[in-house]
Amino acid sequence: MKVMVTHDVSDLKHWLASPKRDEFFAAHGMTARTFTSPGGGTRVGVLIENVPDLETLQAALGTEMGAAAMKHDGVHPDSIEMYVES
């Protein structure tokens, strides 16, 4: 399953350079690719692949490890939107 996630970040350069995203998803058997707007801004996208199911992804993001990775990367959790491949 593939899931596209969009959200806001505090610092685009920091978010792009951070290894936490890849570490987090790799630990859960998933991979992630990043997307940014060519017009700039702090709204970003992540395409997450190898997602077993949406519940597993949401549970992983809700863990202490998920919260720590999002905090480190400057993710604004209240801005997260998920889209599943259809």
Side-chain angles (χ1 to χ4, degrees):
M1 171 182 224
K2 295 178 187 174
V3 178
M4 172 59 84
V5 179
T6 60
H7 55 78
D8 296 320
V9 295
S10 298
D11 181 328
L12 182 61
K13 288 181 183 179
H14 172 78
W15 180 79
L16 284 169
S18 176
K20 293 292 183 186
R21 177 181 42 260
D22 289 336
E23 291 169 6
F24 172 79
F25 287 114
H28 292 88
M30 302 176 217
T31 60
R33 292 190 288 162
T34 60
F35 294 82
T36 59
S37 171
T42 57
R43 185 92 178 146
V44 297
V46 180
L47 178 62
I48 307 165
E49 298 180 285
N50 304 319
V51 177
D53 54 64
L54 193 55
E55 293 77 21
T56 299
L57 173 60
Q58 289 173 322
L61 291 172
T63 64
E64 191 173 309
M65 181 183 185
M70 285 191 279
K71 182 176 181 178
H72 178 273
D73 286 358
V75 172
H76 299 204
D78 60 330
S79 68
I80 294 173
E81 292 185 64
M82 292 187 181
Y83 305 88
V84 295
E85 182 177 41
S86 54

Short mmCIF file of all heavy atoms in Angstrom, two decimals, residues 5-54:
data_model
loop_
_atom_site.label_atom_id
_atom_site.label_comp_id
_atom_site.label_asym_id
_atom_site.label_seq_id
_atom_site.Cartn_x
_atom_site.Cartn_y
_atom_site.Cartn_z
N VAL A 5 1.21 11.61 2.42
CA VAL A 5 0.94 12.42 3.61
C VAL A 5 1.42 13.83 3.33
O VAL A 5 2.54 14.02 2.85
CB VAL A 5 1.67 11.84 4.85
CG1 VAL A 5 1.41 12.70 6.07
CG2 VAL A 5 1.26 10.41 5.10
N THR A 6 0.57 14.80 3.61
CA THR A 6 0.99 16.20 3.51
C THR A 6 0.91 16.82 4.91
O THR A 6 0.11 16.40 5.74
CB THR A 6 0.10 17.01 2.54
OG1 THR A 6 -1.25 16.98 2.99
CG2 THR A 6 0.19 16.44 1.13
N HIS A 7 1.79 17.78 5.15
CA HIS A 7 1.79 18.47 6.44
C HIS A 7 2.68 19.70 6.35
O HIS A 7 3.44 19.87 5.39
CB HIS A 7 2.25 17.55 7.57
CG HIS A 7 3.59 16.92 7.35
ND1 HIS A 7 4.78 17.58 7.54
CD2 HIS A 7 3.93 15.68 6.93
CE1 HIS A 7 5.79 16.78 7.27
NE2 HIS A 7 5.30 15.60 6.89
N ASP A 8 2.59 20.53 7.35
CA ASP A 8 3.43 21.72 7.46
C ASP A 8 4.64 21.40 8.33
O ASP A 8 4.56 20.56 9.23
CB ASP A 8 2.66 22.88 8.08
CG ASP A 8 1.49 23.34 7.22
OD1 ASP A 8 1.65 23.39 5.99
OD2 ASP A 8 0.42 23.61 7.78
N VAL A 9 5.75 22.08 8.05
CA VAL A 9 6.97 21.95 8.85
C VAL A 9 7.45 23.34 9.26
O VAL A 9 7.12 24.33 8.61
CB VAL A 9 8.09 21.20 8.09
CG1 VAL A 9 7.69 19.76 7.83
CG2 VAL A 9 8.46 21.88 6.80
N SER A 10 8.23 23.38 10.32
CA SER A 10 8.75 24.66 10.81
C SER A 10 9.88 25.19 9.95
O SER A 10 9.97 26.39 9.71
CB SER A 10 9.23 24.52 12.25
OG SER A 10 8.16 24.16 13.09
N ASP A 11 10.75 24.29 9.48
CA ASP A 11 11.95 24.69 8.74
C ASP A 11 12.18 23.69 7.62
O ASP A 11 12.58 22.55 7.86
CB ASP A 11 13.14 24.72 9.71
CG ASP A 11 14.44 25.16 9.06
OD1 ASP A 11 14.66 24.88 7.86
OD2 ASP A 11 15.27 25.75 9.76
N LEU A 12 11.93 24.12 6.39
CA LEU A 12 12.01 23.23 5.24
C LEU A 12 13.41 22.63 5.08
O LEU A 12 13.54 21.42 4.86
CB LEU A 12 11.60 23.97 3.97
CG LEU A 12 11.60 23.14 2.69
CD1 LEU A 12 10.63 21.97 2.78
CD2 LEU A 12 11.29 24.01 1.49
N LYS A 13 14.45 23.43 5.18
CA LYS A 13 15.81 22.92 5.00
C LYS A 13 16.15 21.86 6.05
O LYS A 13 16.74 20.83 5.74
CB LYS A 13 16.83 24.05 5.04
CG LYS A 13 16.80 24.92 3.80
CD LYS A 13 17.83 26.02 3.86
CE LYS A 13 17.72 26.91 2.64
NZ LYS A 13 18.67 28.02 2.65
N HIS A 14 15.76 22.11 7.29
CA HIS A 14 16.01 21.14 8.36
C HIS A 14 15.24 19.85 8.08
O HIS A 14 15.79 18.75 8.21
CB HIS A 14 15.60 21.72 9.71
CG HIS A 14 15.65 20.72 10.82
ND1 HIS A 14 16.83 20.33 11.43
CD2 HIS A 14 14.67 20.00 11.42
CE1 HIS A 14 16.57 19.43 12.35
NE2 HIS A 14 15.27 19.21 12.37
N TRP A 15 13.98 19.96 7.70
CA TRP A 15 13.16 18.79 7.43
C TRP A 15 13.76 17.94 6.31
O TRP A 15 13.85 16.73 6.43
CB TRP A 15 11.73 19.23 7.08
CG TRP A 15 10.80 18.12 6.78
CD1 TRP A 15 10.15 17.32 7.69
CD2 TRP A 15 10.38 17.67 5.49
NE1 TRP A 15 9.37 16.40 7.03
CE2 TRP A 15 9.48 16.60 5.68
CE3 TRP A 15 10.66 18.07 4.19
CZ2 TRP A 15 8.88 15.93 4.62
CZ3 TRP A 15 10.06 17.40 3.14
CH2 TRP A 15 9.18 16.35 3.36
N LEU A 16 14.19 18.59 5.23
CA LEU A 16 14.77 17.86 4.10
C LEU A 16 16.07 17.15 4.48
O LEU A 16 16.33 16.04 4.03
CB LEU A 16 15.02 18.80 2.92
CG LEU A 16 13.78 19.20 2.13
CD1 LEU A 16 14.11 20.32 1.16
CD2 LEU A 16 13.21 17.99 1.38
N ALA A 17 16.87 17.77 5.32
CA ALA A 17 18.19 17.23 5.68
C ALA A 17 18.12 16.17 6.79
O ALA A 17 19.08 15.43 6.97
CB ALA A 17 19.12 18.36 6.11
N SER A 18 17.03 16.11 7.49
CA SER A 18 16.94 15.23 8.65
C SER A 18 16.93 13.75 8.27
O SER A 18 16.18 13.33 7.39
CB SER A 18 15.67 15.53 9.45
OG SER A 18 15.55 14.61 10.51
N PRO A 19 17.72 12.92 8.96
CA PRO A 19 17.71 11.48 8.73
C PRO A 19 16.60 10.77 9.51
O PRO A 19 16.36 9.58 9.29
CB PRO A 19 19.08 11.04 9.25
CG PRO A 19 19.36 12.00 10.36
CD PRO A 19 18.78 13.33 9.89
N LYS A 20 15.92 11.47 10.40
CA LYS A 20 14.93 10.84 11.28
C LYS A 20 13.79 10.18 10.52
O LYS A 20 13.31 9.12 10.90
CB LYS A 20 14.36 11.85 12.28
CG LYS A 20 15.35 12.34 13.29
CD LYS A 20 15.73 11.23 14.23
CE LYS A 20 16.68 11.74 15.30
NZ LYS A 20 17.19 10.68 16.13
N ARG A 21 13.32 10.81 9.47
CA ARG A 21 12.20 10.28 8.68
C ARG A 21 12.55 8.90 8.13
O ARG A 21 11.80 7.94 8.31
CB ARG A 21 11.86 11.26 7.56
CG ARG A 21 10.79 10.85 6.61
CD ARG A 21 10.57 11.91 5.52
NE ARG A 21 11.82 12.47 5.01
CZ ARG A 21 12.33 13.65 5.38
NH1 ARG A 21 11.73 14.42 6.23
NH2 ARG A 21 13.48 14.06 4.87
N ASP A 22 13.71 8.79 7.47
CA ASP A 22 14.12 7.51 6.90
C ASP A 22 14.35 6.47 7.98
O ASP A 22 13.99 5.30 7.82
CB ASP A 22 15.36 7.68 6.03
CG ASP A 22 15.08 8.40 4.73
OD1 ASP A 22 13.91 8.39 4.26
OD2 ASP A 22 16.03 8.99 4.17
N GLU A 23 14.96 6.87 9.09
CA GLU A 23 15.19 5.95 10.20
C GLU A 23 13.88 5.41 10.75
O GLU A 23 13.73 4.20 10.99
CB GLU A 23 15.95 6.66 11.33
CG GLU A 23 17.38 7.01 10.99
CD GLU A 23 18.02 7.94 12.03
OE1 GLU A 23 17.39 8.21 13.09
OE2 GLU A 23 19.15 8.39 11.78
N PHE A 24 12.92 6.31 10.93
CA PHE A 24 11.62 5.91 11.47
C PHE A 24 10.91 4.92 10.55
O PHE A 24 10.47 3.86 10.98
CB PHE A 24 10.74 7.14 11.72
CG PHE A 24 9.33 6.78 12.10
CD1 PHE A 24 9.04 6.38 13.39
CD2 PHE A 24 8.31 6.82 11.16
CE1 PHE A 24 7.74 6.02 13.74
CE2 PHE A 24 7.02 6.46 11.50
CZ PHE A 24 6.73 6.07 12.80
N PHE A 25 10.78 5.28 9.29
CA PHE A 25 10.04 4.42 8.37
C PHE A 25 10.78 3.10 8.13
O PHE A 25 10.14 2.05 8.05
CB PHE A 25 9.72 5.14 7.08
CG PHE A 25 8.63 6.17 7.26
CD1 PHE A 25 8.91 7.52 7.11
CD2 PHE A 25 7.35 5.80 7.62
CE1 PHE A 25 7.91 8.47 7.30
CE2 PHE A 25 6.35 6.75 7.83
CZ PHE A 25 6.63 8.09 7.67
N ALA A 26 12.10 3.12 8.05
CA ALA A 26 12.86 1.89 7.87
C ALA A 26 12.66 0.94 9.05
O ALA A 26 12.55 -0.28 8.86
CB ALA A 26 14.34 2.19 7.68
N ALA A 27 12.57 1.48 10.24
CA ALA A 27 12.36 0.66 11.44
C ALA A 27 11.01 -0.05 11.40
O ALA A 27 10.80 -1.04 12.10
CB ALA A 27 12.47 1.53 12.69
N HIS A 28 10.09 0.47 10.57
CA HIS A 28 8.76 -0.13 10.45
C HIS A 28 8.56 -0.82 9.10
O HIS A 28 7.44 -1.12 8.71
CB HIS A 28 7.69 0.95 10.67
CG HIS A 28 7.68 1.45 12.08
ND1 HIS A 28 8.47 2.50 12.50
CD2 HIS A 28 7.01 1.03 13.17
CE1 HIS A 28 8.26 2.70 13.79
NE2 HIS A 28 7.39 1.82 14.22
N GLY A 29 9.66 -1.05 8.39
CA GLY A 29 9.59 -1.76 7.12
C GLY A 29 9.01 -0.95 5.97
O GLY A 29 8.58 -1.51 4.96
N MET A 30 9.00 0.36 6.11
CA MET A 30 8.43 1.23 5.09
C MET A 30 9.52 2.14 4.52
O MET A 30 10.58 2.29 5.12
CB MET A 30 7.31 2.09 5.70
CG MET A 30 6.18 1.30 6.30
SD MET A 30 4.97 2.39 7.10
CE MET A 30 4.51 1.40 8.52
N THR A 31 9.25 2.73 3.39
CA THR A 31 10.15 3.72 2.80
C THR A 31 9.38 4.99 2.55
O THR A 31 8.15 4.97 2.43
CB THR A 31 10.75 3.21 1.46
OG1 THR A 31 9.68 2.95 0.55
CG2 THR A 31 11.59 1.97 1.67
N ALA A 32 10.10 6.10 2.47
CA ALA A 32 9.45 7.40 2.27
C ALA A 32 10.22 8.24 1.27
O ALA A 32 11.45 8.24 1.27
CB ALA A 32 9.34 8.14 3.60
N ARG A 33 9.48 8.92 0.41
CA ARG A 33 10.06 9.88 -0.54
C ARG A 33 9.44 11.24 -0.25
O ARG A 33 8.25 11.33 0.01
CB ARG A 33 9.76 9.47 -1.98
CG ARG A 33 10.48 8.20 -2.37
CD ARG A 33 10.37 7.92 -3.85
NE ARG A 33 9.01 7.51 -4.17
CZ ARG A 33 8.49 7.52 -5.39
NH1 ARG A 33 9.20 7.96 -6.42
NH2 ARG A 33 7.26 7.11 -5.61
N THR A 34 10.26 12.28 -0.31
CA THR A 34 9.80 13.62 0.04
C THR A 34 9.42 14.43 -1.20
O THR A 34 9.97 14.24 -2.28
CB THR A 34 10.88 14.38 0.82
OG1 THR A 34 12.05 14.49 0.01
CG2 THR A 34 11.22 13.68 2.12
N PHE A 35 8.49 15.36 -0.98
CA PHE A 35 8.02 16.27 -2.02
C PHE A 35 7.89 17.66 -1.44
O PHE A 35 7.45 17.83 -0.30
CB PHE A 35 6.65 15.82 -2.56
CG PHE A 35 6.70 14.50 -3.28
CD1 PHE A 35 6.68 13.31 -2.56
CD2 PHE A 35 6.78 14.46 -4.65
CE1 PHE A 35 6.73 12.08 -3.21
CE2 PHE A 35 6.84 13.23 -5.32
CZ PHE A 35 6.81 12.05 -4.60
N THR A 36 8.29 18.65 -2.21
CA THR A 36 8.16 20.05 -1.80
C THR A 36 7.53 20.83 -2.94
O THR A 36 7.54 20.41 -4.09
CB THR A 36 9.53 20.66 -1.47
OG1 THR A 36 10.38 20.57 -2.62
CG2 THR A 36 10.19 19.95 -0.29
N SER A 37 7.00 21.98 -2.61
CA SER A 37 6.38 22.84 -3.61
C SER A 37 7.46 23.62 -4.36
O SER A 37 8.36 24.18 -3.73
CB SER A 37 5.44 23.83 -2.94
OG SER A 37 5.00 24.81 -3.87
N PRO A 38 7.39 23.65 -5.69
CA PRO A 38 8.37 24.44 -6.43
C PRO A 38 8.26 25.93 -6.13
O PRO A 38 9.20 26.68 -6.35
CB PRO A 38 8.08 24.13 -7.89
CG PRO A 38 6.70 23.60 -7.91
CD PRO A 38 6.44 23.00 -6.57
N GLY A 39 7.13 26.33 -5.57
CA GLY A 39 6.93 27.73 -5.22
C GLY A 39 7.43 28.09 -3.84
O GLY A 39 7.32 29.23 -3.39
N GLY A 40 7.99 27.11 -3.13
CA GLY A 40 8.48 27.36 -1.78
C GLY A 40 7.40 27.10 -0.75
O GLY A 40 6.40 26.46 -1.02
N GLY A 41 7.61 27.58 0.43
CA GLY A 41 6.67 27.38 1.52
C GLY A 41 7.06 26.22 2.39
O GLY A 41 8.07 25.54 2.15
N THR A 42 6.26 25.98 3.41
CA THR A 42 6.59 24.95 4.38
C THR A 42 5.57 23.81 4.38
O THR A 42 5.53 23.02 5.31
CB THR A 42 6.70 25.54 5.79
OG1 THR A 42 5.48 26.20 6.12
CG2 THR A 42 7.87 26.51 5.89
N ARG A 43 4.74 23.72 3.37
CA ARG A 43 3.82 22.58 3.20
C ARG A 43 4.56 21.55 2.37
O ARG A 43 5.07 21.85 1.29
CB ARG A 43 2.54 23.02 2.50
CG ARG A 43 1.50 21.93 2.41
CD ARG A 43 0.58 22.01 3.60
NE ARG A 43 -0.45 20.98 3.52
CZ ARG A 43 -0.95 20.40 4.58
NH1 ARG A 43 -0.55 20.75 5.78
NH2 ARG A 43 -1.88 19.48 4.47
N VAL A 44 4.66 20.32 2.88
CA VAL A 44 5.43 19.28 2.22
C VAL A 44 4.60 18.01 2.07
O VAL A 44 3.53 17.87 2.67
CB VAL A 44 6.72 18.97 3.01
CG1 VAL A 44 7.63 20.19 3.06
CG2 VAL A 44 6.40 18.48 4.42
N GLY A 45 5.13 17.08 1.28
CA GLY A 45 4.48 15.79 1.11
C GLY A 45 5.48 14.67 1.29
O GLY A 45 6.67 14.83 1.03
N VAL A 46 4.97 13.54 1.72
CA VAL A 46 5.78 12.33 1.87
C VAL A 46 4.98 11.18 1.26
O VAL A 46 3.82 10.96 1.63
CB VAL A 46 6.08 12.02 3.35
CG1 VAL A 46 6.92 10.76 3.48
CG2 VAL A 46 6.77 13.18 4.03
N LEU A 47 5.59 10.47 0.33
CA LEU A 47 4.98 9.26 -0.22
C LEU A 47 5.57 8.08 0.55
O LEU A 47 6.78 7.83 0.48
CB LEU A 47 5.27 9.11 -1.71
CG LEU A 47 4.72 7.84 -2.35
CD1 LEU A 47 3.20 7.79 -2.26
CD2 LEU A 47 5.17 7.74 -3.80
N ILE A 48 4.74 7.39 1.29
CA ILE A 48 5.18 6.27 2.11
C ILE A 48 4.79 4.99 1.39
O ILE A 48 3.62 4.78 1.06
CB ILE A 48 4.55 6.32 3.51
CG1 ILE A 48 4.80 7.69 4.15
CG2 ILE A 48 5.11 5.21 4.39
CD1 ILE A 48 3.95 7.98 5.36
N GLU A 49 5.78 4.13 1.15
CA GLU A 49 5.53 2.89 0.44
C GLU A 49 5.76 1.69 1.36
O GLU A 49 6.37 1.83 2.41
CB GLU A 49 6.45 2.80 -0.77
CG GLU A 49 6.17 3.93 -1.77
CD GLU A 49 7.05 3.89 -2.99
OE1 GLU A 49 8.23 4.26 -2.85
OE2 GLU A 49 6.55 3.49 -4.05
N ASN A 50 5.25 0.55 0.96
CA ASN A 50 5.33 -0.68 1.74
C ASN A 50 4.54 -0.59 3.04
O ASN A 50 4.94 -1.17 4.05
CB ASN A 50 6.78 -1.08 2.02
CG ASN A 50 7.58 -1.22 0.76
OD1 ASN A 50 7.10 -1.76 -0.23
ND2 ASN A 50 8.80 -0.71 0.77
N VAL A 51 3.45 0.16 3.02
CA VAL A 51 2.59 0.30 4.20
C VAL A 51 1.69 -0.93 4.27
O VAL A 51 0.94 -1.20 3.33
CB VAL A 51 1.73 1.58 4.10
CG1 VAL A 51 0.80 1.69 5.30
CG2 VAL A 51 2.61 2.82 3.98
N PRO A 52 1.75 -1.72 5.36
CA PRO A 52 0.92 -2.92 5.45
C PRO A 52 -0.57 -2.59 5.41
O PRO A 52 -1.35 -3.24 4.73
CB PRO A 52 1.30 -3.55 6.79
CG PRO A 52 2.51 -2.84 7.27
CD PRO A 52 2.61 -1.56 6.52
N ASP A 53 -0.96 -1.56 6.17
CA ASP A 53 -2.34 -1.06 6.17
C ASP A 53 -2.33 0.28 6.91
O ASP A 53 -1.38 0.61 7.61
CB ASP A 53 -3.31 -2.05 6.82
CG ASP A 53 -2.89 -2.48 8.21
OD1 ASP A 53 -2.84 -1.61 9.11
OD2 ASP A 53 -2.58 -3.67 8.40
N LEU A 54 -3.39 1.03 6.74
CA LEU A 54 -3.45 2.38 7.30
C LEU A 54 -3.38 2.35 8.83
O LEU A 54 -2.76 3.22 9.44
CB LEU A 54 -4.71 3.09 6.83
CG LEU A 54 -4.77 4.59 7.06
CD1 LEU A 54 -3.57 5.30 6.46
CD2 LEU A 54 -6.06 5.16 6.50
#
